[in-house]
mmCIF file of all heavy atoms in Angstrom:
data_model
loop_
_atom_site.group_PDB
_atom_site.id
_atom_site.type_symbol
_atom_site.label_atom_id
_atom_site.label_comp_id
_atom_site.label_asym_id
_atom_site.label_seq_id
_atom_site.Cartn_x
_atom_site.Cartn_y
_atom_site.Cartn_z
ATOM 1 N N TYR A 166 0.474 2.233 -0.698
ATOM 2 C CA TYR A 166 1.272 3.448 -0.743
ATOM 3 C C TYR A 166 0.329 4.647 -0.831
ATOM 4 O O TYR A 166 -0.881 4.485 -0.965
ATOM 5 C CB TYR A 166 2.225 3.427 -1.942
ATOM 6 C CG TYR A 166 1.555 3.107 -3.255
ATOM 7 C CD1 TYR A 166 1.012 4.117 -4.031
ATOM 8 C CD2 TYR A 166 1.450 1.783 -3.698
ATOM 9 C CE1 TYR A 166 0.392 3.817 -5.217
ATOM 10 C CE2 TYR A 166 0.824 1.489 -4.887
ATOM 11 C CZ TYR A 166 0.300 2.497 -5.657
ATOM 12 O OH TYR A 166 -0.321 2.209 -6.819
ATOM 13 N N SER A 167 0.907 5.846 -0.752
ATOM 14 C CA SER A 167 0.065 7.040 -0.766
ATOM 15 C C SER A 167 -0.703 7.125 -2.074
ATOM 16 O O SER A 167 -0.167 6.860 -3.131
ATOM 17 C CB SER A 167 0.931 8.281 -0.603
ATOM 18 O OG SER A 167 0.139 9.421 -0.807
ATOM 19 N N GLN A 168 -1.991 7.451 -1.946
ATOM 20 C CA GLN A 168 -2.805 7.561 -3.149
ATOM 21 C C GLN A 168 -2.613 8.909 -3.842
ATOM 22 O O GLN A 168 -3.262 9.205 -4.823
ATOM 23 C CB GLN A 168 -4.277 7.357 -2.801
ATOM 24 C CG GLN A 168 -4.573 5.909 -2.478
ATOM 25 C CD GLN A 168 -5.934 5.736 -1.876
ATOM 26 O OE1 GLN A 168 -6.111 5.719 -0.679
ATOM 27 N NE2 GLN A 168 -6.924 5.640 -2.728
ATOM 28 N N GLY A 169 -1.753 9.740 -3.267
ATOM 29 C CA GLY A 169 -1.451 11.020 -3.910
ATOM 30 C C GLY A 169 -2.598 11.993 -3.738
ATOM 31 O O GLY A 169 -3.692 11.627 -3.358
ATOM 32 N N ARG A 213 -10.653 9.994 -2.781
ATOM 33 C CA ARG A 213 -9.742 9.243 -1.904
ATOM 34 C C ARG A 213 -10.401 8.943 -0.560
ATOM 35 O O ARG A 213 -10.464 7.802 -0.125
ATOM 36 C CB ARG A 213 -8.453 10.059 -1.685
ATOM 37 C CG ARG A 213 -7.432 9.408 -0.775
ATOM 38 C CD ARG A 213 -6.266 10.341 -0.474
ATOM 39 N NE ARG A 213 -6.646 11.535 0.254
ATOM 40 C CZ ARG A 213 -6.875 11.571 1.565
ATOM 41 N NH1 ARG A 213 -6.753 10.496 2.294
ATOM 42 N NH2 ARG A 213 -7.236 12.699 2.162
ATOM 43 N N GLN A 214 -10.935 9.996 0.072
ATOM 44 C CA GLN A 214 -11.479 9.798 1.419
ATOM 45 C C GLN A 214 -12.758 8.962 1.408
ATOM 46 O O GLN A 214 -12.932 8.064 2.233
ATOM 47 C CB GLN A 214 -11.732 11.160 2.101
ATOM 48 C CG GLN A 214 -12.363 10.971 3.487
ATOM 49 C CD GLN A 214 -12.378 12.221 4.319
ATOM 50 O OE1 GLN A 214 -11.455 13.048 4.241
ATOM 51 N NE2 GLN A 214 -13.410 12.382 5.129
ATOM 52 N N GLN A 217 -11.997 5.340 0.600
ATOM 53 C CA GLN A 217 -11.390 4.683 1.763
ATOM 54 C C GLN A 217 -12.457 4.382 2.814
ATOM 55 O O GLN A 217 -12.477 3.313 3.427
ATOM 56 C CB GLN A 217 -10.307 5.572 2.383
ATOM 57 C CG GLN A 217 -9.773 4.995 3.697
ATOM 58 C CD GLN A 217 -8.782 5.912 4.420
ATOM 59 O OE1 GLN A 217 -7.802 6.327 3.841
ATOM 60 N NE2 GLN A 217 -9.067 6.217 5.668
ATOM 61 N N HIS A 218 -13.341 5.332 2.966
ATOM 62 C CA HIS A 218 -14.422 5.164 3.938
ATOM 63 C C HIS A 218 -15.332 3.998 3.520
ATOM 64 O O HIS A 218 -15.681 3.132 4.326
ATOM 65 C CB HIS A 218 -15.195 6.486 4.022
ATOM 66 C CG HIS A 218 -16.138 6.572 5.172
ATOM 67 N ND1 HIS A 218 -16.700 7.747 5.578
ATOM 68 C CD2 HIS A 218 -16.641 5.617 5.990
ATOM 69 C CE1 HIS A 218 -17.487 7.508 6.605
ATOM 70 N NE2 HIS A 218 -17.475 6.222 6.871
ATOM 71 N N SER A 221 -13.726 0.744 4.097
ATOM 72 C CA SER A 221 -13.691 0.435 5.537
ATOM 73 C C SER A 221 -15.006 -0.198 5.978
ATOM 74 O O SER A 221 -15.017 -1.142 6.778
ATOM 75 C CB SER A 221 -13.446 1.698 6.364
ATOM 76 O OG SER A 221 -12.266 2.336 5.948
ATOM 77 N N GLU A 222 -16.102 0.346 5.483
ATOM 78 C CA GLU A 222 -17.406 -0.212 5.863
ATOM 79 C C GLU A 222 -17.528 -1.656 5.369
ATOM 80 O O GLU A 222 -18.024 -2.531 6.088
ATOM 81 C CB GLU A 222 -18.547 0.624 5.255
ATOM 82 C CG GLU A 222 -18.555 2.090 5.684
ATOM 83 C CD GLU A 222 -19.158 2.329 7.064
ATOM 84 O OE1 GLU A 222 -19.599 1.365 7.707
ATOM 85 O OE2 GLU A 222 -19.182 3.501 7.500
ATOM 86 N N GLY A 225 -15.034 -3.837 7.023
ATOM 87 C CA GLY A 225 -15.456 -3.870 8.433
ATOM 88 C C GLY A 225 -16.558 -4.880 8.715
ATOM 89 O O GLY A 225 -16.839 -5.189 9.877
ATOM 90 N N MET A 226 -17.183 -5.412 7.655
ATOM 91 C CA MET A 226 -18.193 -6.457 7.882
ATOM 92 C C MET A 226 -17.527 -7.781 8.276
ATOM 93 O O MET A 226 -18.163 -8.641 8.878
ATOM 94 C CB MET A 226 -19.002 -6.695 6.590
ATOM 95 C CG MET A 226 -19.805 -5.491 6.143
ATOM 96 S SD MET A 226 -20.444 -5.730 4.467
ATOM 97 C CE MET A 226 -21.827 -6.830 4.788
ATOM 98 N N GLU A 229 -16.787 -8.811 12.297
ATOM 99 C CA GLU A 229 -18.011 -9.119 13.037
ATOM 100 C C GLU A 229 -18.790 -10.254 12.379
ATOM 101 O O GLU A 229 -19.405 -11.081 13.061
ATOM 102 C CB GLU A 229 -18.881 -7.872 13.145
ATOM 103 C CG GLU A 229 -18.309 -6.870 14.122
ATOM 104 C CD GLU A 229 -19.103 -5.588 14.106
ATOM 105 O OE1 GLU A 229 -19.034 -4.850 13.102
ATOM 106 O OE2 GLU A 229 -19.803 -5.334 15.083
ATOM 107 N N LYS A 248 -26.709 -5.462 12.131
ATOM 108 C CA LYS A 248 -25.628 -4.473 12.181
ATOM 109 C C LYS A 248 -24.677 -4.656 11.006
ATOM 110 O O LYS A 248 -24.304 -3.700 10.324
ATOM 111 C CB LYS A 248 -24.850 -4.593 13.505
ATOM 112 C CG LYS A 248 -23.714 -3.590 13.591
ATOM 113 C CD LYS A 248 -22.731 -3.948 14.692
ATOM 114 C CE LYS A 248 -21.707 -2.846 14.921
ATOM 115 N NZ LYS A 248 -20.752 -2.672 13.844
ATOM 116 N N GLU A 252 -23.684 -2.086 7.849
ATOM 117 C CA GLU A 252 -22.343 -1.643 7.411
ATOM 118 C C GLU A 252 -22.224 -1.812 5.889
ATOM 119 O O GLU A 252 -21.660 -0.962 5.198
ATOM 120 C CB GLU A 252 -21.223 -2.421 8.115
ATOM 121 C CG GLU A 252 -21.275 -2.490 9.635
ATOM 122 C CD GLU A 252 -21.166 -1.152 10.348
ATOM 123 O OE1 GLU A 252 -21.068 -0.112 9.676
ATOM 124 O OE2 GLU A 252 -21.214 -1.153 11.592
ATOM 125 N N HIS A 255 -23.931 1.029 4.313
ATOM 126 C CA HIS A 255 -23.137 2.270 4.369
ATOM 127 C C HIS A 255 -22.109 2.282 3.233
ATOM 128 O O HIS A 255 -21.890 3.298 2.587
ATOM 129 C CB HIS A 255 -22.371 2.379 5.700
ATOM 130 C CG HIS A 255 -23.276 2.422 6.895
ATOM 131 N ND1 HIS A 255 -22.809 2.343 8.173
ATOM 132 C CD2 HIS A 255 -24.616 2.536 7.001
ATOM 133 C CE1 HIS A 255 -23.825 2.400 9.021
ATOM 134 N NE2 HIS A 255 -24.931 2.509 8.324
ATOM 135 N N LYS A 283 -6.447 2.388 0.586
ATOM 136 C CA LYS A 283 -6.420 2.083 2.013
ATOM 137 C C LYS A 283 -7.839 1.828 2.522
ATOM 138 O O LYS A 283 -8.813 2.221 1.892
ATOM 139 C CB LYS A 283 -5.808 3.253 2.773
ATOM 140 C CG LYS A 283 -4.331 3.463 2.481
ATOM 141 C CD LYS A 283 -3.765 4.549 3.390
ATOM 142 C CE LYS A 283 -2.254 4.618 3.335
ATOM 143 N NZ LYS A 283 -1.743 5.135 2.055
ATOM 144 N N TYR A 284 -7.921 1.211 3.680
ATOM 145 C CA TYR A 284 -9.166 1.126 4.452
ATOM 146 C C TYR A 284 -8.732 1.207 5.906
ATOM 147 O O TYR A 284 -7.537 1.078 6.210
ATOM 148 C CB TYR A 284 -9.940 -0.171 4.133
ATOM 149 C CG TYR A 284 -9.164 -1.427 4.389
ATOM 150 C CD1 TYR A 284 -9.158 -2.017 5.659
ATOM 151 C CD2 TYR A 284 -8.401 -2.016 3.389
ATOM 152 C CE1 TYR A 284 -8.421 -3.167 5.908
ATOM 153 C CE2 TYR A 284 -7.660 -3.166 3.629
ATOM 154 C CZ TYR A 284 -7.674 -3.725 4.886
ATOM 155 O OH TYR A 284 -6.927 -4.857 5.132
ATOM 156 N N SER A 285 -9.701 1.424 6.799
ATOM 157 C CA SER A 285 -9.313 1.724 8.183
ATOM 158 C C SER A 285 -8.461 0.616 8.808
ATOM 159 O O SER A 285 -8.799 -0.570 8.745
ATOM 160 C CB SER A 285 -10.556 1.967 9.035
ATOM 161 O OG SER A 285 -10.149 2.345 10.331
ATOM 162 N N SER A 286 -7.380 1.068 9.443
ATOM 163 C CA SER A 286 -6.440 0.172 10.123
ATOM 164 C C SER A 286 -7.136 -0.760 11.117
ATOM 165 O O SER A 286 -6.707 -1.897 11.323
ATOM 166 C CB SER A 286 -5.399 1.016 10.872
ATOM 167 O OG SER A 286 -6.036 2.022 11.648
ATOM 168 N N ILE A 287 -8.229 -0.295 11.702
ATOM 169 C CA ILE A 287 -8.863 -1.055 12.798
ATOM 170 C C ILE A 287 -9.307 -2.449 12.367
ATOM 171 O O ILE A 287 -9.342 -3.364 13.171
ATOM 172 C CB ILE A 287 -10.074 -0.251 13.367
ATOM 173 C CG1 ILE A 287 -10.586 -0.851 14.683
ATOM 174 C CG2 ILE A 287 -11.226 -0.172 12.371
ATOM 175 C CD1 ILE A 287 -9.782 -0.513 15.859
ATOM 176 N N PHE A 288 -9.620 -2.603 11.079
ATOM 177 C CA PHE A 288 -10.186 -3.883 10.645
ATOM 178 C C PHE A 288 -9.110 -4.927 10.330
ATOM 179 O O PHE A 288 -9.409 -5.990 9.805
ATOM 180 C CB PHE A 288 -11.161 -3.654 9.489
ATOM 181 C CG PHE A 288 -12.268 -2.732 9.894
ATOM 182 C CD1 PHE A 288 -12.440 -1.494 9.276
ATOM 183 C CD2 PHE A 288 -13.092 -3.064 10.954
ATOM 184 C CE1 PHE A 288 -13.434 -0.621 9.702
ATOM 185 C CE2 PHE A 288 -14.085 -2.197 11.387
ATOM 186 C CZ PHE A 288 -14.259 -0.976 10.761
ATOM 187 N N ILE A 301 -16.216 -3.791 19.695
ATOM 188 C CA ILE A 301 -16.233 -3.141 18.379
ATOM 189 C C ILE A 301 -17.401 -2.159 18.311
ATOM 190 O O ILE A 301 -17.254 -1.013 17.895
ATOM 191 C CB ILE A 301 -16.299 -4.178 17.230
ATOM 192 C CG1 ILE A 301 -14.963 -4.916 17.123
ATOM 193 C CG2 ILE A 301 -16.639 -3.504 15.899
ATOM 194 C CD1 ILE A 301 -14.884 -5.939 16.001
ATOM 195 N N VAL A 305 -15.321 0.959 18.411
ATOM 196 C CA VAL A 305 -15.063 1.216 16.989
ATOM 197 C C VAL A 305 -16.200 2.043 16.382
ATOM 198 O O VAL A 305 -15.964 3.062 15.723
ATOM 199 C CB VAL A 305 -14.824 -0.108 16.222
ATOM 200 C CG1 VAL A 305 -14.670 0.143 14.737
ATOM 201 C CG2 VAL A 305 -13.605 -0.828 16.790
ATOM 202 N N ASP A 306 -17.445 1.629 16.635
ATOM 203 C CA ASP A 306 -18.545 2.460 16.148
ATOM 204 C C ASP A 306 -18.565 3.797 16.879
ATOM 205 O O ASP A 306 -18.920 4.824 16.293
ATOM 206 C CB ASP A 306 -19.882 1.735 16.295
ATOM 207 C CG ASP A 306 -20.042 0.643 15.240
ATOM 208 O OD1 ASP A 306 -20.498 0.956 14.135
ATOM 209 O OD2 ASP A 306 -19.677 -0.512 15.508
ATOM 210 N N ALA A 309 -16.088 5.853 15.193
ATOM 211 C CA ALA A 309 -16.600 6.187 13.857
ATOM 212 C C ALA A 309 -17.615 7.337 13.953
ATOM 213 O O ALA A 309 -17.581 8.276 13.150
ATOM 214 C CB ALA A 309 -17.226 4.954 13.204
ATOM 215 N N ASN A 312 -16.028 10.714 14.531
ATOM 216 C CA ASN A 312 -15.391 11.197 13.297
ATOM 217 C C ASN A 312 -16.446 11.612 12.261
ATOM 218 O O ASN A 312 -16.226 12.539 11.471
ATOM 219 C CB ASN A 312 -14.496 10.070 12.762
ATOM 220 C CG ASN A 312 -14.009 10.301 11.356
ATOM 221 O OD1 ASN A 312 -14.685 9.904 10.415
ATOM 222 N ND2 ASN A 312 -12.874 10.949 11.211
ATOM 223 N N GLN A 313 -17.588 10.920 12.263
ATOM 224 C CA GLN A 313 -18.540 11.108 11.162
ATOM 225 C C GLN A 313 -19.616 12.153 11.416
ATOM 226 O O GLN A 313 -20.201 12.668 10.470
ATOM 227 C CB GLN A 313 -19.171 9.758 10.794
ATOM 228 C CG GLN A 313 -18.154 8.866 10.088
ATOM 229 C CD GLN A 313 -18.596 7.413 9.939
ATOM 230 O OE1 GLN A 313 -19.785 7.128 9.911
ATOM 231 N NE2 GLN A 313 -17.645 6.520 9.843
ATOM 232 N N LEU A 316 -18.768 15.060 9.654
ATOM 233 C CA LEU A 316 -18.856 14.861 8.198
ATOM 234 C C LEU A 316 -20.280 15.087 7.677
ATOM 235 O O LEU A 316 -20.481 15.268 6.481
ATOM 236 C CB LEU A 316 -18.367 13.461 7.809
ATOM 237 C CG LEU A 316 -16.864 13.190 7.979
ATOM 238 C CD1 LEU A 316 -16.544 11.725 7.690
ATOM 239 C CD2 LEU A 316 -16.035 14.087 7.064
ATOM 240 N N TYR A 324 -21.886 13.393 0.126
ATOM 241 C CA TYR A 324 -21.198 12.769 1.278
ATOM 242 C C TYR A 324 -21.895 13.204 2.573
ATOM 243 O O TYR A 324 -22.186 12.383 3.435
ATOM 244 C CB TYR A 324 -19.727 13.204 1.268
ATOM 245 C CG TYR A 324 -18.787 12.420 2.165
ATOM 246 C CD1 TYR A 324 -19.043 11.115 2.562
ATOM 247 C CD2 TYR A 324 -17.587 12.996 2.592
ATOM 248 C CE1 TYR A 324 -18.150 10.403 3.358
ATOM 249 C CE2 TYR A 324 -16.681 12.289 3.387
ATOM 250 C CZ TYR A 324 -16.977 10.990 3.773
ATOM 251 O OH TYR A 324 -16.084 10.301 4.561
ATOM 252 N N GLU A 335 -25.072 4.147 13.095
ATOM 253 C CA GLU A 335 -23.877 3.884 13.925
ATOM 254 C C GLU A 335 -24.191 4.098 15.410
ATOM 255 O O GLU A 335 -23.603 3.450 16.276
ATOM 256 C CB GLU A 335 -22.701 4.802 13.538
ATOM 257 C CG GLU A 335 -22.213 4.708 12.100
ATOM 258 C CD GLU A 335 -21.446 3.440 11.750
ATOM 259 O OE1 GLU A 335 -21.705 2.399 12.381
ATOM 260 O OE2 GLU A 335 -20.627 3.493 10.817
ATOM 261 N N MET A 373 -6.224 4.887 17.082
ATOM 262 C CA MET A 373 -5.520 5.068 15.800
ATOM 263 C C MET A 373 -6.481 5.300 14.643
ATOM 264 O O MET A 373 -6.079 5.782 13.583
ATOM 265 C CB MET A 373 -4.653 3.833 15.495
ATOM 266 C CG MET A 373 -3.497 3.653 16.462
ATOM 267 S SD MET A 373 -2.622 2.109 16.104
ATOM 268 C CE MET A 373 -1.637 1.915 17.593
ATOM 269 N N MET A 374 -7.755 4.966 14.829
ATOM 270 C CA MET A 374 -8.731 5.177 13.746
ATOM 271 C C MET A 374 -8.795 6.637 13.308
ATOM 272 O O MET A 374 -9.171 6.942 12.176
ATOM 273 C CB MET A 374 -10.139 4.768 14.201
ATOM 274 C CG MET A 374 -10.363 3.282 14.284
ATOM 275 S SD MET A 374 -11.991 2.927 14.960
ATOM 276 C CE MET A 374 -13.061 3.429 13.617
ATOM 277 N N PHE A 375 -8.469 7.556 14.231
ATOM 278 C CA PHE A 375 -8.586 8.986 13.911
ATOM 279 C C PHE A 375 -7.467 9.483 13.005
ATOM 280 O O PHE A 375 -7.450 10.635 12.614
ATOM 281 C CB PHE A 375 -8.640 9.804 15.209
ATOM 282 C CG PHE A 375 -9.891 9.525 16.000
ATOM 283 C CD1 PHE A 375 -9.910 8.541 16.981
ATOM 284 C CD2 PHE A 375 -11.067 10.202 15.728
ATOM 285 C CE1 PHE A 375 -11.070 8.250 17.685
ATOM 286 C CE2 PHE A 375 -12.233 9.922 16.425
ATOM 287 C CZ PHE A 375 -12.235 8.939 17.406
ATOM 288 N N GLY A 376 -6.524 8.605 12.707
ATOM 289 C CA GLY A 376 -5.446 8.977 11.788
ATOM 290 C C GLY A 376 -4.222 9.486 12.518
ATOM 291 O O GLY A 376 -4.210 9.595 13.748
ATOM 292 N N PRO A 377 -3.156 9.798 11.776
ATOM 293 C CA PRO A 377 -1.905 10.241 12.397
ATOM 294 C C PRO A 377 -2.103 11.528 13.183
ATOM 295 O O PRO A 377 -3.087 12.242 12.982
ATOM 296 C CB PRO A 377 -0.978 10.484 11.200
ATOM 297 C CG PRO A 377 -1.876 10.631 10.024
ATOM 298 C CD PRO A 377 -3.100 9.838 10.310
ATOM 299 N N ASP A 381 1.662 15.053 11.648
ATOM 300 C CA ASP A 381 2.011 14.112 10.567
ATOM 301 C C ASP A 381 0.875 13.893 9.574
ATOM 302 O O ASP A 381 0.962 13.033 8.697
ATOM 303 C CB ASP A 381 2.399 12.749 11.164
ATOM 304 C CG ASP A 381 3.644 12.855 12.031
ATOM 305 O OD1 ASP A 381 4.574 13.575 11.621
ATOM 306 O OD2 ASP A 381 3.661 12.262 13.120
ATOM 307 N N SER A 382 -0.217 14.628 9.743
ATOM 308 C CA SER A 382 -1.377 14.420 8.861
ATOM 309 C C SER A 382 -1.193 15.227 7.581
ATOM 310 O O SER A 382 -1.221 16.457 7.585
ATOM 311 C CB SER A 382 -2.654 14.845 9.604
ATOM 312 O OG SER A 382 -3.718 14.911 8.691
ATOM 313 N N ALA A 383 -1.008 14.506 6.470
ATOM 314 C CA ALA A 383 -0.685 15.168 5.200
ATOM 315 C C ALA A 383 -1.836 16.017 4.671
ATOM 316 O O ALA A 383 -1.623 17.065 4.069
ATOM 317 C CB ALA A 383 -0.320 14.103 4.169
ATOM 318 N N HIS A 384 -3.064 15.559 4.890
ATOM 319 C CA HIS A 384 -4.192 16.168 4.189
ATOM 320 C C HIS A 384 -5.067 17.089 5.032
ATOM 321 O O HIS A 384 -5.912 17.803 4.483
ATOM 322 C CB HIS A 384 -5.081 15.071 3.601
ATOM 323 C CG HIS A 384 -4.327 14.059 2.790
ATOM 324 N ND1 HIS A 384 -3.570 14.400 1.700
ATOM 325 C CD2 HIS A 384 -4.202 12.718 2.937
ATOM 326 C CE1 HIS A 384 -3.013 13.306 1.200
ATOM 327 N NE2 HIS A 384 -3.370 12.278 1.930
ATOM 328 N N SER A 385 -4.880 17.038 6.364
ATOM 329 C CA SER A 385 -5.840 17.737 7.242
ATOM 330 C C SER A 385 -5.990 19.218 6.917
ATOM 331 O O SER A 385 -7.104 19.731 6.831
ATOM 332 C CB SER A 385 -5.429 17.600 8.703
ATOM 333 O OG SER A 385 -5.767 16.327 9.166
ATOM 334 N N SER A 388 -7.915 19.810 3.740
ATOM 335 C CA SER A 388 -9.279 19.274 3.867
ATOM 336 C C SER A 388 -10.119 20.137 4.799
ATOM 337 O O SER A 388 -11.319 20.290 4.600
ATOM 338 C CB SER A 388 -9.248 17.834 4.389
ATOM 339 O OG SER A 388 -8.797 16.977 3.381
ATOM 340 N N LYS A 394 -13.173 18.131 6.114
ATOM 341 C CA LYS A 394 -13.014 17.815 7.532
ATOM 342 C C LYS A 394 -13.303 19.095 8.319
ATOM 343 O O LYS A 394 -12.941 20.180 7.874
ATOM 344 C CB LYS A 394 -11.572 17.366 7.825
ATOM 345 C CG LYS A 394 -11.275 15.952 7.360
ATOM 346 C CD LYS A 394 -9.778 15.682 7.348
ATOM 347 C CE LYS A 394 -9.286 15.122 8.657
ATOM 348 N NZ LYS A 394 -7.916 14.507 8.486
ATOM 349 N N ASN A 398 -7.488 15.511 13.321
ATOM 350 C CA ASN A 398 -7.450 14.133 13.844
ATOM 351 C C ASN A 398 -7.290 14.127 15.370
ATOM 352 O O ASN A 398 -7.974 13.385 16.073
ATOM 353 C CB ASN A 398 -6.288 13.359 13.207
ATOM 354 C CG ASN A 398 -6.408 13.248 11.692
ATOM 355 O OD1 ASN A 398 -7.414 13.644 11.101
ATOM 356 N ND2 ASN A 398 -5.371 12.707 11.050
ATOM 357 N N PHE A 444 0.902 1.762 14.029
ATOM 358 C CA PHE A 444 -0.108 2.331 13.126
ATOM 359 C C PHE A 444 0.347 2.249 11.669
ATOM 360 O O PHE A 444 -0.348 1.715 10.812
ATOM 361 C CB PHE A 444 -0.395 3.787 13.521
ATOM 362 C CG PHE A 444 -1.250 4.531 12.526
ATOM 363 C CD1 PHE A 444 -2.613 4.287 12.454
ATOM 364 C CD2 PHE A 444 -0.692 5.467 11.669
ATOM 365 C CE1 PHE A 444 -3.412 4.970 11.524
ATOM 366 C CE2 PHE A 444 -1.474 6.151 10.742
ATOM 367 C CZ PHE A 444 -2.844 5.901 10.677
ATOM 368 N N TRP A 445 1.552 2.738 11.389
ATOM 369 C CA TRP A 445 2.012 2.779 9.993
ATOM 370 C C TRP A 445 2.273 1.384 9.452
ATOM 371 O O TRP A 445 2.097 1.129 8.258
ATOM 372 C CB TRP A 445 3.254 3.679 9.859
ATOM 373 C CG TRP A 445 2.913 5.137 10.054
ATOM 374 C CD1 TRP A 445 3.358 5.952 11.048
ATOM 375 C CD2 TRP A 445 2.039 5.944 9.244
ATOM 376 N NE1 TRP A 445 2.807 7.217 10.920
ATOM 377 C CE2 TRP A 445 1.996 7.241 9.822
ATOM 378 C CE3 TRP A 445 1.263 5.703 8.099
ATOM 379 C CZ2 TRP A 445 1.229 8.289 9.290
ATOM 380 C CZ3 TRP A 445 0.490 6.741 7.566
ATOM 381 C CH2 TRP A 445 0.489 8.013 8.166
ATOM 382 N N VAL A 448 -1.236 0.148 8.585
ATOM 383 C CA VAL A 448 -1.721 0.880 7.399
ATOM 384 C C VAL A 448 -0.976 0.406 6.146
ATOM 385 O O VAL A 448 -1.544 0.296 5.066
ATOM 386 C CB VAL A 448 -1.545 2.413 7.589
ATOM 387 C CG1 VAL A 448 -1.799 3.170 6.299
ATOM 388 C CG2 VAL A 448 -2.469 2.928 8.690
HETATM 389 N N1 FAQ B 240 -6.361 3.643 8.680
HETATM 390 O O1 FAQ B 240 -3.514 13.040 6.159
HETATM 391 P P1 FAQ B 240 -4.288 12.041 6.925
HETATM 392 C C1 FAQ B 240 -16.213 2.523 10.510
HETATM 393 C C2 FAQ B 240 -4.170 7.372 5.936
HETATM 394 S S1 FAQ B 240 -15.704 3.498 9.248
HETATM 395 C C3 FAQ B 240 -5.822 3.570 7.442
HETATM 396 O O2 FAQ B 240 -4.646 12.396 8.325
HETATM 397 P P2 FAQ B 240 -7.063 12.200 6.080
HETATM 398 C C4 FAQ B 240 -17.615 2.009 10.489
HETATM 399 C C5 FAQ B 240 -4.860 8.419 5.067
HETATM 400 O O3 FAQ B 240 -5.801 7.824 4.209
HETATM 401 C C6 FAQ B 240 -13.979 3.817 9.607
HETATM 402 N N2 FAQ B 240 -5.300 4.654 6.821
HETATM 403 O O4 FAQ B 240 -5.579 11.615 6.071
HETATM 404 C C7 FAQ B 240 -17.657 0.634 10.975
HETATM 405 C C8 FAQ B 240 -3.691 9.011 4.340
HETATM 406 O O5 FAQ B 240 -3.262 8.106 3.310
HETATM 407 P P3 FAQ B 240 -3.075 8.554 1.724
HETATM 408 C C9 FAQ B 240 -13.394 4.621 8.518
HETATM 409 C C10 FAQ B 240 -5.350 5.835 7.477
HETATM 410 O O6 FAQ B 240 -7.821 11.502 5.025
HETATM 411 C C11 FAQ B 240 -17.636 0.359 12.320
HETATM 412 C C12 FAQ B 240 -2.595 8.996 5.377
HETATM 413 O O7 FAQ B 240 -2.955 7.983 6.315
HETATM 414 N N3 FAQ B 240 -13.826 5.985 8.624
HETATM 415 O O8 FAQ B 240 -15.421 2.286 11.344
HETATM 416 C C13 FAQ B 240 -5.923 5.956 8.754
HETATM 417 O O9 FAQ B 240 -7.061 13.694 6.080
HETATM 418 C C14 FAQ B 240 -17.678 -0.969 12.761
HETATM 419 C C15 FAQ B 240 -2.403 10.334 6.054
HETATM 420 O O10 FAQ B 240 -3.503 10.645 6.942
HETATM 421 C C16 FAQ B 240 -13.560 6.880 7.660
HETATM 422 O O11 FAQ B 240 -12.955 6.547 6.657
HETATM 423 C C17 FAQ B 240 -6.439 4.794 9.374
HETATM 424 N N4 FAQ B 240 -6.976 4.809 10.596
HETATM 425 O O12 FAQ B 240 -7.636 11.758 7.527
HETATM 426 C C18 FAQ B 240 -17.719 -0.389 10.054
HETATM 427 C C19 FAQ B 240 -14.069 8.269 7.896
HETATM 428 N N5 FAQ B 240 -5.815 7.243 9.143
HETATM 429 O O13 FAQ B 240 -4.442 8.693 1.175
HETATM 430 C C20 FAQ B 240 -17.775 -1.733 10.503
HETATM 431 C C21 FAQ B 240 -13.726 9.222 6.803
HETATM 432 C C22 FAQ B 240 -5.191 7.910 8.150
HETATM 433 O O14 FAQ B 240 -2.302 9.828 1.734
HETATM 434 C C23 FAQ B 240 -17.765 -1.997 11.868
HETATM 435 N N6 FAQ B 240 -12.311 9.487 6.731
HETATM 436 N N7 FAQ B 240 -4.905 7.053 7.156
HETATM 437 O O15 FAQ B 240 -2.366 7.412 1.091
HETATM 438 C C24 FAQ B 240 -11.689 10.448 7.462
HETATM 439 O O16 FAQ B 240 -12.275 11.136 8.257
HETATM 440 C C25 FAQ B 240 -10.226 10.670 7.181
HETATM 441 O O17 FAQ B 240 -9.909 10.074 5.942
HETATM 442 C C26 FAQ B 240 -9.277 10.148 8.303
HETATM 443 C C27 FAQ B 240 -7.825 10.380 7.848
HETATM 444 C C28 FAQ B 240 -9.525 10.880 9.605
HETATM 445 C C29 FAQ B 240 -9.470 8.637 8.523
#
Side-chain angles (χ1 to χ4, degrees):
Y166 51 88
S167 172
Q168 287 169 266
R213 179 187 64 79
Q214 177 168 326
Q217 173 185 306
H218 192 166
S221 304
E222 300 280 359
M226 296 168 78
E229 287 174 290
K248 180 196 188 291
E252 308 298 1
H255 299 171
K283 293 186 169 70
Y284 58 87
S285 184
S286 49
I287 192 79
F288 301 117
I301 289 182
V305 175
D306 285 274
N312 168 271
Q313 288 168 26
L316 291 174
Y324 194 25
E335 301 288 28
M373 293 175 194
M374 286 175 71
F375 294 92
D381 297 319
S382 168
H384 309 302
S385 283
S388 287
K394 284 166 90 164
N398 299 354
F444 171 75
W445 290 116
V448 170

